[in-house]
């Protein structure tokens, strides 16, 4: 199959960036038969990252297995701020780590960083271990803070928590790539999208070092309520603020341990 043929099949399937996707598929396929299968899988709605087995994130190639949350480019905005504020040797935690993209970047960009990551999804943990542990981090399976080593309490300087924040009733409105191929536990934030954020904010003060920071992605329309939730659930121990980027279409709450 020619490159033109690949583009035409992807366009017919509704892929907006057909040319760019065709280049990735052509580069990834080892032969015509595999290329045909990969194009068929993509045309059926499978996320491109699941088809080729990786995603580019902050300049790194992150392995992404089928059924694992695909790291979003807008999350590079959150991770970039975390990297900028981390001192050399910082103790970092990546909650709801998915593929481990954030943890991998922290290890790559922060000299001597000590990085721990966790996720409740077994498939995500298996994937994250391949992205994080060869770089020197550790990945644990469990719910939020529960599987982390107890000795991290009060020592975490950078806490990245890419929690699910889509309101339950909005899941059906998501693009098919997310709605049909990513675990809903990685998307569903409860009735108002803030349920998991509240749980993180309630426990974060006992894990963060004084002056340690929590970074959480949210949506623009949820930002004000997210700030209120962080302040309330932490008992006033976390001082939250909102940072945004029009370029990345990103909204992040940064909360500092008083």
């Amino acid at each position: 199959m020619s490159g033109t043929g690949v583009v035409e099949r992807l366009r017919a399937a509704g892929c907006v960036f057909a040319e760019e996707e065709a280049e990735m598929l052509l580069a990834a396929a080892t032969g015509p038969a595999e290329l045909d299968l990969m194009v068929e899988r993509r045309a059926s709605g499978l996320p491109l990252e699941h088809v080729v087995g990786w995603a580019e994130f902050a300049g790194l190639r992150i392995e992404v297995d089928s059924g694992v949350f695909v790291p979003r480019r807008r999350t590079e905005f959150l991770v970039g701020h975390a990297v900028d504020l981390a001192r050399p040797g910082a103790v970092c935690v990546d909650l709801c780590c998915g593929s481990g993209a954030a943890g991998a970047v922290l290890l790559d960009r922060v000299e001597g960083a000590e990085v721990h990551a966790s996720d409740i999804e077994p498939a995500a943990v298996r994937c994250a271990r391949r992205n994080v542990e060869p770089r020197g981090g550790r990945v644990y399976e469990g719910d939020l803070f529960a599987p982390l080593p107890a000795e991290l309490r009060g020592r975490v300087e950078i806490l990245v928590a890419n929690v699910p924040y889509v309101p339950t009733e909005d899941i059906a409105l998501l693009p098919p790539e997310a709605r049909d191929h990513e675990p809903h536990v990685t998307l569903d934030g409860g009735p108002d999208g803030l349920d998991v954020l509240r749980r993180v904010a309630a426990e974060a003060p006992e894990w963060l070092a004084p002056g340690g920071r929590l970074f959480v992605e949210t949506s623009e329309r949820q930002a004000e309520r997210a700030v209120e939730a962080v302040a309330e659930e932490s008992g006033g121990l976390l001082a939250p603020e909102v940072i945004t980027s029009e370029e990345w279409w990103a909204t992040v709450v940064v909360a500092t341990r008083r």
Side-chain angles (χ1 to χ4, degrees):
M1 189 191 318
S2 68
T4 301
V6 173
V7 172
E8 289 175 350
R9 284 181 63 180
L10 294 175
R11 279 181 180 162
C15 298
V16 177
F17 303 104
E19 290 83 359
E20 292 87 343
E21 294 192 10
E23 289 181 9
M24 289 183 64
L25 293 173
L26 286 162
T30 57
E34 185 179 25
L35 176 61
D36 185 65
L37 177 60
M38 294 174 79
V39 173
E40 180 181 341
R41 295 177 74 203
R42 177 61 185 130
S44 72
L46 194 69
L48 177 66
E49 294 82 1
H50 288 167
V51 175
V52 299
W54 60 273
E56 182 182 344
F57 185 82
L60 300 182
R61 180 175 288 205
I62 301 297
E63 293 187 34
V64 183
D65 296 336
S66 293
V68 174
F69 182 82
V70 176
R72 308 313 199 236
R73 294 300 298 272
R74 63 177 172 269
T75 307
E76 293 182 21
F77 177 69
L78 178 156
V79 178
H81 275 273
V83 168
D84 289 344
L85 293 172
R87 68 170 184 83
V91 177
C92 309
V93 167
D94 179 10
L95 288 188
C96 305
C97 69
S99 63
V105 174
L106 286 165
L107 286 161
D108 186 70
R109 308 284 160 77
V110 180
E111 182 182 355
E114 177 185 339
V115 175
H116 302 263
S118 75
D119 202 286
I120 198 170
E121 277 283 308
V125 170
R126 290 192 296 270
C127 187
R129 283 179 174 151
R130 300 203 307 274
N131 289 313
V132 171
E133 296 193 344
R135 292 180 165 92
R138 294 291 305 277
V139 181
Y140 311 87
E141 182 180 335
D143 188 22
L144 299 179
F145 297 95
L148 296 178
E151 57 265 26
L152 292 179
R153 293 178 187 271
R155 295 182 53 232
V156 178
E157 299 164 67
I158 300 293
L159 173 55
V160 174
N162 195 13
V163 302
Y165 59 87
V166 180
T168 303
E169 64 179 15
D170 290 351
I171 296 289
L173 305 177
L174 292 174
E177 287 92 339
R179 184 184 68 231
D180 298 336
H181 298 285
E182 294 179 323
H184 281 197
V185 70
T186 68
L187 305 168
D188 191 345
D192 66 352
L194 300 176
D195 279 4
V196 184
L197 170 61
R198 292 187 180 95
R199 293 180 56 211
V200 171
E203 289 193 61
E206 66 179 281
W207 293 87
L208 286 170
R213 292 180 174 90
L214 165 67
F215 300 81
V216 184
E217 188 174 280
T218 189
S219 68
E220 184 179 5
R221 66 188 176 96
Q222 292 169 306
E224 184 176 346
R225 285 178 293 134
V227 165
E228 293 172 354
V230 169
E232 291 172 4
E233 294 298 328
S234 69
L237 291 175
L238 298 180
E241 60 178 324
V242 175
I243 57 175
T244 62
S245 169
E246 292 185 5
E247 176 187 358
W248 292 99
W249 201 256
T251 302
V252 174
V253 174
V254 182
T256 305
R257 173 75 162 86
R258 298 184 190 277

